[in-house]
Amino acid sequence: MTTKSLVKVQDASCWFDVSRPWLERVLKRRPRTHLKAVNGVSFTVEKGETLALVGESGCGKSTVARLLVGLYTPSSGHIEFDGQPVSMLRSREGKQLWQRLQMIFQDPYASLNPRWRVARIIAEPLKVHGKMTQAERDERVDALLQQVGLSPTDRNRYPHQFSGGQRQRISIARALAARPEFLVCDEPTSALDVSVQAQVLNLMKKLQQDLGLTYLFISHNLAVVHHVADRVAVMYLGRIVELAPRDALFSRPRHPYTRMLLSAIPDPAGTGQRRIPVAGEVPNPLNPPSGCPFHPRCPHARDICRQHMPATINDGPTQVACHGIKEGWLGK
């Protein structure tokens, strides 16, 4: 694995205006309201690795995914792909850049056009990004179907004629059509049965090895993350609170929120590991708490946590945003 950063995200934020209608705001003298879905996120993705992004529902994972592929525009901050700003994707010059990064969506039932046959679904990126004859496109579609474990005879069938796992394979084939280097995988197995999840994950790992792909893998399933990730970033309420190599994060989690997430993983082996009860609920992102966003649920919170946002520091191989780690009073 090389050390070149393929993706760089620096202090990126994405705020959505969810204000009341203009007239109501004027009459009732209410200010604009913004939902801070992503708030000051920074990370890199190295070429050839899998970076997993984890956290509870609503923490901003999918918003980060859409920022990376240009579906959303950051409110502030900077995002680069191979040294070029992702904002170029919306320009005419960005067409060549766009084919180098693709996205696999969460729901294989909603992400495929039910009116199109499989061959047309997979060939669409080839029409947009490539200059190929019909015969060349047909040959490429057949090769992709075989690559993802389907048959070329499936090309004339419709999505509703496939199972969920097969549909996700079709989605993967479509994403690979333009020969991308970077795939953003937004919970690609969460809608599938457990046995089918394993098949799709193994397929994705094999494709990564064969094609030299780089993944941003978004999930809330930590068992899946442990299977696929090289590094893991933990998000909470729009911020990354911990980022570490996979083995370091699972063996020695530093942030209290990470410890709580890992403690919730079932322990069928009966190792007797100490459990940290899941306390409270995720705060309303329209009215986030002051200071550290996790402090209302944190058993170690002190006054400084309620008053000041913690800076991200290095603790060995781990980057963590926690006053307790910085000040040294949070136990191991």
Side-chain angles (χ1 to χ4, degrees), residues 108 111-127 141 155 157-160 162 167 170-175 177:
S111 62
L112 302 178
N113 191 328
R115 298 176 181 270
W116 286 10
R117 297 180 190 272
V118 167
R120 184 178 179 186
I121 290 172
I122 297 175
E124 187 67 14
L126 300 175
K127 294 179 181 179
V141 168
R155 62 183 352 267
R157 299 169 67 189
Y158 289 94
H160 73 270
F162 295 89
R167 292 188 199 195
I170 295 168
S171 298
I172 294 171
R174 177 181 59 185

Side-chain angles (χ1 to χ4, degrees), residues 52-65:
L53 196 59
V54 305
E56 293 169 286
S57 297
C59 70
K61 304 186 301 294
S62 293
T63 303
V64 170

Side-chain angles (χ1 to χ4, degrees), residues 228-270:
V228 302
D230 296 303
R231 291 188 300 141
V232 183
V234 181
M235 283 194 72
Y236 186 79
L237 211 64
R239 297 179 178 272
I240 291 180
V241 296
E242 185 166 356
L243 196 159
R246 177 197 60 195
D247 292 340
L249 184 129
F250 278 85
S251 64
R252 188 173 177 261
R254 304 302 291 133
H255 197 280
Y257 177 61
T258 308
R259 297 179 185 182
M260 188 183 77
L261 287 181
L262 293 177
S263 182
I265 299 177
D267 183 23

